[in-house]
Amino acid sequence: NLSKEEKEAVVSTQSTGELSALTVGVQGSGWGWLGVDPTTKRLAIAKCANQDPLLPTTGLVPLLGIDVWEHAYYLQYKNVRPQYVAKIWDIVNWKDIQQRYEAVLRQ
């Protein structure tokens, strides 16, 4: 299980809107990511343009990816990317993210 500090770090990333803001700010198509550095075991946020993968691009192991290619949200949200990103938090599977994070911690 995540320690209290680790849970707070994940929730802090969500509640402060850092990941949302970074993701909304992706120019064109791409991804916003919550990842973990496999060396330091610290959580980090990042963005990748187009289809660039997180691990080879940044060295971070992906925990959560937010797709901001237009096809991901256009039919429901038109061109209102911030609204789409805000709604992502309603469906995030935190249990899965925790399992992914714990797997990195065990490495």
Side-chain angles (χ1 to χ4, degrees):
N1 288 338
L2 295 177
S3 70
K4 181 181 178 199
E5 293 79 22
E6 292 161 344
K7 286 180 183 175
E8 288 173 358
V10 171
V11 171
S12 173
T13 300
Q14 176 199 356
S15 63
T16 61
E18 292 174 21
L19 180 55
S20 292
L22 183 80
T23 303
V24 168
V26 170
Q27 294 299 310
S29 297
W31 293 80
W33 292 99
L34 172 63
V36 61
D37 182 312
T39 304
T40 65
K41 312 295 191 210
R42 296 189 60 99
L43 295 168
I45 60 172
K47 63 181 177 179
C48 293
N50 302 314
Q51 69 274 13
D52 295 350
L54 184 65
L55 185 59
T57 304
T58 66
L60 298 174
V61 175
L63 301 177
L64 169 69
I66 303 174
D67 180 358
V68 288
W69 282 65
E70 194 174 76
H71 68 260
Y73 61 89
Y74 188 78
L75 289 177
Q76 188 169 359
Y77 295 96
K78 303 297 181 215
N79 60 347
V80 188
R81 185 184 285 181
Q83 188 178 56
Y84 160 73
V85 171
K87 289 293 191 178
I88 286 290
W89 301 113
D90 293 343
I91 60 168
V92 168
N93 185 337
W94 291 105
K95 184 177 178 180
D96 182 66
I97 293 169
Q98 177 177 337
Q99 290 169 345
R100 291 170 186 254
Y101 184 61
E102 289 172 349
V104 174
L105 294 179
R106 288 191 297 271
Q107 294 178 354

